[in-house]
Amino acid sequence: MRLHKSGLMLIAAIVTGFAISRFEHLINPYYYQVLIYIGINIILASSLNLINGFAGQFSLGHAGFMAVGAYTSAVVTSQLHFASSSMLNTAAFSLALLLGGIVAAIFGLLVGIPSLRLKGDYLAITTLGFGEIIRVIVQNLDFLGGARGFTGIPKLTNFVWVFSTVAIVILLVSNLINSTYGKSFLAVRDDELAAETIGISSTRVKVIAFVTGAFFAGVAGALYAHFVTYINPAQFSFLKSFEIVVMVIIGGMGSIFGVILSAILLTILPEMLRSVAQYRMVVYSLLLIVIMITRPRGLFVRTRTAKQSVALKTLR
Amino acid sequence: MDLLTLRSCTMRFGGLTAIADLSIGLAAGDLLGLIGPNGAGKTTIFNMITGIYRPSSGQVLFDGHSIVGLKPNQIADRGIARTFQNIRLFPSMTVYETVQAAYSKGVKYGLIHAVSRCGPFHTSEEETDRAIAELLEYFELETVRNEIAISLPYGQQRKVELLRALATKPKLLLLDEPAAGMNPSEKVALMGLIERVRSDFRVSILLIDHDMRVVMGICKRLVVLDYGVKIAEGSPREIQCDSKVIEAYLGEPTE
Amino acid sequence: MSEFLQQVINGISLGSIYALIALGYTMIYGILRFINFAHGDVFMVGAFIGYFVAPHVISLTGGSLWIAAPIVLIVTMVGCSALGVTIEKLAYRPLRSRPKLTVLITAIGVSFFLEYGGQLVFGPDPKLFPTLIPSSSLINTQHVVIGTNSIVVILTAIVLMLLLRFIVYNTKMGTAMRAVSFDHRVASLMGINIDSVISFTFVLGSGLAAAASLLYASVYPSINPLMGIFPGLKAFVAAVLGGIGNLAGAALGGLIIGITETFVSGYISSSYRDAIAFAILILILLFKPSGILGRHDRDKV
Amino acid sequence: MKTYSGILAALFTTLVILGCGGGDKGDEILIGEFGSLTGTTATFGQSTHHGLELAVEETNNAGGVLGKKIRLLVEDDQSKPEEAATAVTKLITRDNVKAIIGEVASSRSLAAAPICQQFKIPMVSPASTNPEVTKKGDFIFRVCYIDPFQGEMLARFMYNSLGFKKAVILKDVKNDYSVGLAQYFRQTFESLGGTVVAEQAYSEGDSDFKAQLTALKAAEPEAMFVPGYYIEGALIVKQARELNMTMPIVGGDGWDSSKLLEVGGQAMNNTYFSTHYSTDDTAAAVRSFVTKYSARFNERPDAMAALGYDAGLILFDAIRRAGNTDGTAIRDALAATSDFTGVTGSITIDERRNARKPLVILTVENASLKYKESIQP
């Protein structure tokens, strides 16, 4: 029985998703939309958590992977879309999500390679640079609509697609991290050199983290594109990457549950602040500063022993 | 044939020569002590062997093959494990997880199995779990298995680090001042443990210490280093009488 | 050929502004080892201080720009220095012993705060920056035009850089700064007051950003609360390119980015300009990760 | 784990409670506006908002519509398309607005239009000129002309009225509006027999254009076309003049702002641009609008303000004619709009739900705007 525990959990999650989607029409569309954004943000933040939180590679280019996934999938569905048949739509969309993820993963590999030589701030600025390069290239590609954006993407994303992906990402990341295999990620994050001396290839770990993280960012981008139905390069600037990084940091790097909570919180917070319209980004930025000063390890992370904090402090 | 051979190795940093024309041989099953005053270049030798530094010139042979230019993890794969002078444990991990990390390389499944938890995953995890439990028992660490490793007392941290190195199933173990910071009775106990480990795990050991008396008891052969140059080699008794060694250590506090 | 010459002049003028901003980035990095993402926004605030102060100063001095401009420059530099020191005290100092990442995120927060706060206080619409540098053409041929703007920008940048060099290498405070950037612990053992050195660094860095903002706004006289984002980012790229923590490197990096961008815009396509700056950065980091003039930090075992 | 679940529950509760309320109070008609009050194009969002506010105040002071007061609900979209989608969904489904006004930027209108269409709520865009916008469905309208029309008219103006055959283009690649305008201009200009001898690009937010201008200058054009927004437009003209480029420079309606002359000054002489109305127009509607707007907001209205104002008035007029606030009824009334006298000219909504109205060309002489000509569709 235990052998299939993960599988069962996944199926349960997807069945629940379907059940809820039956009542989709009962949910206020605004809440529904916020829920979808929550789901997409959980996928983005959890996949970045794999790179930043578990493999310890500080990346500021996640929006770039998202863009690759979004555009790839949009091209696929615009070529394959059969509005008449829902079966074919499902097939086309599955393919689009998968291809979006795969192409993003290939870009993840390209970005992962420099990460092998770079650390900390240098890596951060390089990944930011890669994200921006991707955006600029898209902006110059006419067949993707350039700056005018890609219009007419079919609205295929729904509750089931998003939350099945959420379930898969969370399960996958937690399975990985709680396995003996996954300990190599944490070892590289904690002390790269010590990890190397027990035979762990930091190269391999970093590349796997970037490729997997990018894959899911790509899928999230594809889900996003087929929800908003219109994408343009400006949506995937480094500011989007910052947003995702902030979710990971506030949730607590390397905390699966904390990052989920912060993705939820940071999606809802701007909505709650709608009433203060022009002030909301100012409030948001102040909150960010205050949280960093008072709860630097993240809002949802248990406090560690004093000694450990000291050790972690000296790490980076 | 020797398990590890350093053949006229030289290590230069800019204009500074840290190791000069050093040759050392270590036979399988040996416990070789590498001693010398602070700053003699002992840790540099370890860094050279484990691939952290690449020797400026000379050869490092392990099991008859050159390991110069290999990455630290590749050298670890060949069967060399080490500890660090200033203990480097993984700050976020428990004792159990620390040992698990050392096993992460040898699991009998891949990424896909890890994330999907199928195939050989559960069998392999159970095997690993049993092996770790045995090791923890051997080192008398089973009571602290779920403690964060770096929150343990110093002596136990040393043990965890030694255990982490052994968990990679090395042929050669490099111990960098394992007794540093211990009181005399702890030192004696540790030396006993090292000797037992050597025979129980059939591992060769290269041990660094600047305190001669620590290693006298267990090493059959010693190499003495001063300013990157080998000044003497032989049995503990021979070393004790060597005039160059006495000169090098004169005025050195020997704890 | 004439087009080429014109592009070189355009490039140097833009590059020297990047260089001034990059110097601030690189000094703060040298001392605190973190990317002060808010630096570009301090630059923006500088432009707005100039915007509000300049008309008053100009009317007080009876319209003489040669007297007014230096006064505006000093007021703006003082204002930005105060802002920089305040940011450091309130947002960064409580985090000094925390992981760099925490400080980095805080810096992003400060950056957002200044940008959106700026939109609130100054209004989001672009403002016309008053003329501070009397604009005329020094050389004006059919093909090459060199205005007073470019010359003033380049000369001011050079003077400020020399001044900075003097402060860092020939004053007591400068020596203390270098000591702190070398090793905090050792410096404090030597009796150096780390806090005041860090504050001083922010004074210098923010002051240079203020000067850069006035030069920038004089050449491109439209200012808005988001104007700091891209010059800030480019300047940071310049600092990394030159070898972060290295003053000469920052100046060199700024010039390289300025000139390359101008050439890419002129000869290839401006649509690739932002990408090109990053592409150069990535190539340099791959082949010489410590930057052109940077020293390599070895992982201590 | 327990505390986490607690936090999670709290979060969801907040989501549900989050600003309940809204809805018609019976004596009010709720109209939603989404716009870029903050973010990169905040200045357009705020101008439109002011214009619309003025339209609402005027209408309410005159007794409202169908005996009810108009209440305007504004949502900021931070200049981001996904925020626009959320804002519009909220306005329609939570606040139950009867119609939507927005956005200036086509990218945000494109994200919002499918939602309005889905809920059958009419949407009136004040200034999105991308042809795609109104193709999203029969509930989507606009009160401005579209890019192909404007691009074509400007090309004809340059070729016929000004008589130039060799032009260069400097467009903003980051800006969909500018890219579109450049494309339509080029098509028409070349089909008329002119040549575009060089084309260069810049990115929104840039302020240094000397590199591109130097390259364009080398192509020796007779005139230059600079589609884009006013701030870059003015800087480009200014820097072009500094580089001794004295030729006429033509821009689109993105140039229309009081800031254009403020930034460009005397350098703007010998430039032309298309717009929606002229503040110097002596028509009663225009004069009254300019006076009231200046008094209310202490600044002169730009084209966006005028379009926001017209968008509001056309919508209110349609509701009045529809006789009720049913979405379909308002849609039909909007579609039937004909010869509506707005500030930006006489507006007729055509079968593609685009506004058919004159294009005004202004020129700059001695650092002040002069009416040049009106081109009828």
Side-chain angles (χ1 to χ4, degrees):
Chain A
M1 201 57 202
R2 197 184 45 141
L3 283 167
H4 303 291
K5 206 167 89 188
S6 324
L8 282 178
M9 273 171 63
L10 189 60
I11 292 165
I14 294 172
V15 168
T16 317
F18 265 110
I20 293 174
S21 73
R22 289 281 114 201
F23 303 101
E24 213 170 274
H25 58 282
L26 293 179
I27 307 173
N28 174 299
Y30 168 59
Y31 295 147
Y32 180 74
Q33 187 156 1
V34 174
L35 274 176
I36 296 281
Y37 284 158
I38 286 176
I40 291 173
N41 282 337
I42 292 176
I43 302 169
L44 287 169
S46 299
S47 58
L48 183 66
N49 196 20
L50 190 66
I51 304 175
N52 281 16
F54 293 119
Q57 303 303 299
F58 194 62
S59 165
L60 282 178
H62 223 49
F65 302 139
M66 196 187 163
V68 171
Y71 274 95
T72 308
S73 64
V75 169
V76 173
T77 47
S78 68
Q79 298 296 318
L80 288 182
H81 187 50
F82 310 98
S84 52
S85 155
S86 75
M87 276 289 280
L88 283 174
N89 275 345
T90 307
F93 194 36
S94 314
L95 184 69
L97 288 180
L98 199 65
L99 279 176
I102 290 171
V103 177
I106 294 170
F107 277 80
L109 186 67
L110 289 176
V111 179
I113 289 168
S115 83
L116 306 178
R117 295 193 53 173
L118 303 171
K119 284 195 177 94
D121 306 309
Y122 286 92
L123 178 62
I125 194 75
T126 306
T127 47
L128 188 152
F130 263 112
E132 286 294 286
I133 289 174
I134 291 172
R135 185 180 63 74
V136 170
I137 291 174
V138 171
Q139 198 169 283
N140 281 287
L141 292 179
D142 275 339
F143 76 99
L144 294 179
R148 317 191 71 191
F150 200 114
T151 56
I153 305 168
K155 188 158 188 162
L156 297 171
T157 298
N158 59 23
F159 199 87
V160 180
W161 284 109
V162 171
F163 283 89
S164 307
T165 316
V166 168
I168 292 171
V169 172
I170 295 172
L171 205 67
L172 193 142
V173 173
S174 81
N175 276 352
L176 177 67
I177 293 319
N178 292 321
S179 72
T180 302
Y181 184 91
K183 290 294 179 290
S184 56
F185 283 66
L186 305 184
V188 169
R189 174 193 69 184
D190 277 11
D191 189 334
E192 191 173 330
L193 190 86
E196 288 262 336
T197 62
I198 53 173
I200 295 168
S201 162
S202 58
T203 305
R204 201 180 137 82
V205 164
K206 290 175 189 176
V207 168
I208 289 178
F210 264 103
V211 169
T212 319
F215 177 85
F216 283 104
V219 174
L223 289 168
Y224 171 84
H226 289 82
F227 188 74
V228 181
T229 72
Y230 168 80
I231 48 175
N232 72 3
Q235 294 166 41
F236 306 103
S237 75
F238 64 93
L239 292 173
K240 184 78 197 172
S241 298
F242 280 1
E243 261 175 44
I244 310 169
V245 168
V246 168
M247 284 176 194
V248 174
I249 305 275
I250 286 192
M253 298 223 306
S255 158
I256 295 175
F257 212 72
V259 166
I260 295 170
L261 285 182
S262 89
I264 298 172
L265 178 74
L266 289 180
T267 317
I268 296 177
L269 189 68
E271 296 300 326
M272 297 201 299
L273 292 175
R274 270 195 184 282
S275 49
V276 291
Q278 277 121 307
Y279 298 88
R280 72 171 164 155
M281 288 313 289
V282 178
V283 175
Y284 172 83
S285 53
L286 273 181
L287 274 178
L288 185 61
I289 299 171
V290 171
I291 289 173
M292 279 297 102
I293 292 175
T294 54
R295 295 297 303 265
R297 227 157 273 301
L299 273 185
F300 309 108
V301 170
R302 284 161 297 167
T303 37
R304 295 163 199 255
T305 60
K307 214 168 170 185
Q308 197 184 1
S309 311
V310 172
L312 279 173
K313 215 180 286 174
T314 55
L315 257 182
R316 297 195 167 83
Chain B
M1 189 186 62
D2 284 346
L3 181 65
L4 177 78
T5 313
L6 267 64
R7 199 174 288 159
S8 38
C9 285
T10 300
M11 187 72 223
R12 272 185 296 267
F13 297 109
L16 185 90
T17 304
I19 302 292
D21 197 30
L22 180 75
S23 296
I24 297 178
L26 183 138
D30 234 359
L31 201 169
L32 178 67
L34 192 59
I35 60 171
N38 282 325
K42 300 172 305 249
T43 299
T44 308
I45 295 175
F46 271 21
N47 287 344
M48 242 160 54
I49 298 172
T50 52
I52 295 167
Y53 298 156
R54 190 194 172 106
S56 312
S57 66
Q59 278 291 315
V60 181
L61 300 174
F62 184 68
D63 249 356
H65 301 284
S66 170
I67 55 169
V68 172
L70 293 184
K71 290 196 196 133
N73 67 303
Q74 292 170 318
I75 289 171
D77 283 346
R78 299 279 171 104
I80 301 180
R82 71 173 286 181
T83 65
F84 295 88
Q85 186 177 350
N86 48 343
I87 309 174
R88 290 181 81 145
L89 288 169
F90 302 123
S92 74
M93 293 192 197
T94 64
V95 172
Y96 183 86
E97 287 169 334
T98 308
V99 188
Q100 234 187 334
Y103 271 95
S104 67
K105 181 74 191 169
V107 290
K108 299 190 183 73
Y109 60 89
L111 176 67
I112 301 298
H113 294 136
V115 299
S116 63
R117 308 233 142 157
C118 55
F121 176 79
H122 288 288
T123 348
S124 172
E125 291 291 87
E126 279 160 18
E127 256 174 52
T128 310
D129 183 63
R130 270 197 302 276
I132 295 175
E134 274 173 33
L135 277 175
L136 288 174
E137 204 185 328
Y138 184 91
F139 281 86
E140 294 163 357
L141 288 169
E142 67 272 54
T143 51
V144 294
R145 59 183 275 160
N146 292 325
E147 302 279 325
I148 296 289
I150 57 166
S151 67
L152 295 176
Y154 200 68
Q156 283 191 313
Q157 289 192 39
R158 284 272 175 217
K159 271 194 190 172
V160 176
E161 208 191 18
L162 177 60
L163 175 49
R164 180 180 71 185
L166 268 180
T168 64
K169 305 191 184 72
K171 294 178 194 158
L172 173 64
L173 195 55
L174 309 181
L175 302 178
D176 197 345
E177 303 213 11
M182 291 184 173
N183 64 36
S185 68
E186 280 176 336
K187 283 184 184 177
V188 171
L190 180 77
M191 291 306 143
L193 178 65
I194 291 174
E195 179 54 35
R196 267 187 290 133
V197 163
R198 188 182 66 85
S199 57
D200 291 350
F201 290 86
R202 292 201 191 83
V203 62
S204 316
I205 294 177
L206 181 57
L207 189 152
I208 287 181
D209 214 303
H210 65 270
D211 184 352
M212 251 198 271
R213 280 171 300 186
V214 174
V215 293
M216 285 292 176
I218 51 171
C219 296
K220 292 181 190 64
R221 220 158 53 83
L222 294 176
V223 170
V224 187
L225 218 60
D226 194 22
Y227 291 109
V229 180
K230 183 162 83 176
I231 55 171
E233 184 171 3
S235 69
R237 185 156 296 278
E238 288 163 359
I239 297 294
Q240 265 178 321
C241 308
D242 193 292
S243 60
K244 273 199 223 155
V245 177
I246 293 164
E247 195 182 314
Y249 269 86
L250 212 64
E252 270 285 319
T254 46
E255 286 180 39
Chain C
M1 189 57 210
S2 58
E3 185 190 344
F4 178 80
L5 204 63
Q6 183 78 57
Q7 301 288 28
V8 170
I9 293 159
N10 299 343
I12 293 176
S13 155
L14 181 65
S16 41
I17 292 172
Y18 284 156
L20 283 180
I21 315 174
L23 284 169
Y25 263 119
T26 224
M27 275 193 292
I28 292 166
Y29 190 91
I31 303 276
L32 286 177
R33 309 260 157 220
F34 89 95
I35 306 174
N36 180 16
F37 262 110
H39 195 65
D41 302 296
V42 172
F43 164 86
M44 173 275 290
V45 173
F48 274 93
I49 295 176
Y51 170 79
F52 288 114
V53 168
H56 297 290
V57 177
I58 292 173
S59 69
L60 279 177
T61 56
S64 163
L65 291 181
W66 294 113
I67 305 170
I71 298 175
V72 176
L73 180 70
I74 290 166
V75 172
T76 310
M77 286 174 85
V78 170
C80 278
S81 299
L83 176 68
V85 171
T86 312
I87 292 173
E88 193 273 324
K89 275 229 167 78
L90 295 183
Y92 303 153
R93 187 163 298 177
L95 298 169
R96 196 167 298 156
S97 57
R98 301 266 179 75
K100 266 200 307 194
L101 226 53
T102 311
V103 197
L104 187 75
I105 299 298
T106 312
I108 293 176
V110 173
S111 165
F112 283 170
F113 179 72
L114 291 177
E115 284 160 20
Y116 291 104
Q119 287 207 332
L120 212 59
V121 177
F122 307 133
D125 55 315
K127 305 272 186 295
L128 174 69
F129 193 78
T131 309
L132 276 181
I133 304 171
S135 147
S136 61
S137 302
L138 288 182
I139 297 172
N140 190 343
T141 69
Q142 175 69 33
H143 300 292
V144 181
V145 181
I146 301 176
T148 36
N149 271 346
S150 315
I151 300 300
V152 171
V153 167
I154 295 168
L155 286 181
T156 314
I158 291 174
V159 168
L160 287 171
M161 282 184 230
L162 289 177
L163 192 66
L164 178 71
R165 205 189 141 76
F166 176 79
I167 292 174
V168 172
Y169 289 96
N170 298 76
T171 64
K172 215 174 152 192
M173 201 44 147
T175 314
M177 276 173 68
R178 282 182 293 141
V180 173
S181 85
F182 192 71
D183 191 326
H184 279 216
R185 210 172 46 86
V186 172
S188 68
L189 287 178
M190 283 160 60
I192 293 172
N193 181 344
I194 305 276
D195 281 347
S196 61
V197 168
I198 290 173
S199 295
F200 186 71
T201 309
F202 272 84
V203 166
L204 283 185
S206 309
L208 289 177
S213 73
L214 292 189
L215 298 177
Y216 191 83
S218 293
V219 185
Y220 319 116
S222 146
I223 62 170
N224 70 72
L226 303 182
M227 69 183 279
I229 298 178
F230 267 92
L233 214 54
K234 303 269 178 62
F236 177 67
V237 169
V240 175
L241 187 63
I244 200 153
N246 182 310
L247 294 183
L252 182 66
L255 280 180
I256 294 178
I257 296 281
I259 294 174
T260 318
E261 278 195 349
T262 310
F263 272 79
V264 169
S265 302
Y267 292 105
I268 303 171
S269 163
S270 121
S271 50
Y272 283 102
R273 186 172 72 179
D274 292 348
I276 290 295
F278 285 112
I280 297 173
L281 174 82
I282 290 167
L283 287 179
I284 288 279
L285 287 184
L286 285 183
F287 293 107
K288 196 169 183 312
S290 47
I292 299 172
L293 298 178
R295 49 164 198 263
H296 193 65
D297 284 339
R298 191 176 283 280
D299 192 11
K300 198 166 165 21
V301 183
Chain D
M1 214 56 177
K2 226 176 206 171
T3 50
Y4 286 156
S5 318
I7 297 168
L8 194 63
L11 284 176
F12 272 110
T13 320
T14 334
L15 175 69
V16 175
I17 298 169
L18 190 149
C20 274
D24 260 323
K25 273 197 233 141
D27 56 342
E28 284 179 336
I29 298 174
L30 287 179
I31 302 294
E33 181 201 0
F34 69 108
S36 47
L37 298 180
T38 62
T40 47
T41 55
T43 168
F44 300 123
Q46 300 212 339
S47 277
T48 326
H49 177 60
H50 285 165
L52 187 53
E53 250 185 325
L54 191 64
V56 172
E57 281 166 18
E58 259 182 57
T59 307
N60 284 343
N61 289 342
V65 175
L66 306 178
K68 297 174 180 178
K69 297 273 187 220
I70 300 283
R71 191 150 72 94
L72 186 67
L73 298 176
V74 196
E75 287 289 345
D76 174 28
D77 61 28
Q78 297 175 293
S79 312
K80 295 178 189 164
E82 71 269 34
E83 282 286 327
T86 319
V88 166
T89 311
K90 174 178 175 288
L91 285 169
I92 295 177
T93 66
R94 272 260 316 286
D95 303 324
N96 296 315
V97 298
K98 298 302 172 204
I100 293 278
I101 292 182
E103 233 261 25
V104 173
S106 297
S107 59
R108 266 99 70 186
S109 294
L110 282 169
I115 296 164
C116 294
Q117 182 65 28
Q118 181 193 341
F119 290 105
K120 301 202 184 312
I121 295 292
M123 167 176 146
V124 180
S125 163
S128 291
T129 50
N130 184 333
E132 288 293 323
V133 173
T134 47
K135 288 184 190 162
K136 289 289 160 200
D138 57 356
F139 280 83
I140 316 300
F141 298 84
R142 73 177 113 214
V143 297
C144 54
Y145 40 68
I146 55 175
D147 291 339
F149 171 72
Q150 190 179 182
E152 188 187 327
M153 289 307 140
L154 285 170
R156 287 186 192 282
F157 173 74
M158 191 186 277
Y159 191 87
N160 297 329
S161 306
L162 298 176
F164 294 125
K165 315 277 179 274
K166 263 173 80 181
V168 290
I169 299 175
L170 181 54
K171 67 179 178 192
D172 176 355
V173 272
K174 248 186 181 171
N175 182 340
D176 47 352
Y177 153 80
S178 178
V179 172
L181 218 50
Q183 181 196 331
Y184 300 119
F185 174 89
R186 190 185 190 118
Q187 275 169 13
T188 311
F189 195 70
E190 285 175 347
S191 72
L192 289 170
T195 36
V196 175
V197 285
E199 187 167 323
Q200 283 280 330
Y202 64 93
S203 299
E204 194 178 322
D206 281 3
S207 35
D208 175 24
F209 310 94
K210 290 195 176 141
Q212 295 94 314
L213 288 169
T214 306
L216 290 176
K217 188 183 171 188
E220 296 176 352
E222 293 170 336
M224 176 155 70
F225 180 50
V226 183
Y229 291 144
Y230 60 89
I231 200 76
E232 284 90 1
L235 289 174
I236 287 170
V237 172
K238 209 173 168 190
Q239 290 172 26
R241 303 302 191 221
E242 278 171 21
L243 290 172
N244 270 347
M245 298 169 78
T246 51
M247 74 280 284
I249 300 175
V250 176
D253 62 332
W255 276 27
D256 190 0
S257 160
S258 51
K259 293 269 164 38
L260 184 79
L261 290 174
E262 207 180 292
V263 176
Q266 290 290 346
M268 294 308 297
N269 294 343
N270 199 18
T271 61
Y272 303 85
F273 63 92
S274 56
T275 185
H276 304 268
Y277 85 118
S278 160
T279 45
D280 301 332
D281 199 327
T282 48
V286 177
R287 280 179 47 197
S288 121
F289 170 71
V290 173
T291 318
K292 275 186 276 185
Y293 189 97
S294 308
R296 172 77 171 76
F297 299 107
N298 205 17
E299 63 185 21
R300 281 180 72 76
D302 56 17
M304 295 303 147
L307 288 167
Y309 181 79
D310 274 1
L313 290 188
I314 285 188
L315 177 65
F316 305 152
D317 173 64
I319 297 175
R320 218 173 267 133
R321 282 187 284 112
N324 62 57
T325 55
D326 174 62
T328 316
I330 300 176
R331 175 199 64 182
D332 294 341
L334 273 171
T337 303
S338 170
D339 290 323
F340 179 89
T341 313
V343 173
T344 62
S346 170
I347 300 167
T348 299
I349 300 292
D350 68 13
E351 67 284 358
R352 294 204 184 91
R353 295 170 301 284
N354 298 324
R356 193 184 309 133
K357 62 179 193 178
L359 177 141
V360 176
I361 292 196
L362 300 181
T363 179
V364 182
E365 275 172 28
N366 203 13
S368 61
L369 293 179
K370 287 270 165 358
Y371 171 81
K372 172 83 177 165
E373 61 182 81
S374 277
I375 304 176
Q376 295 300 327

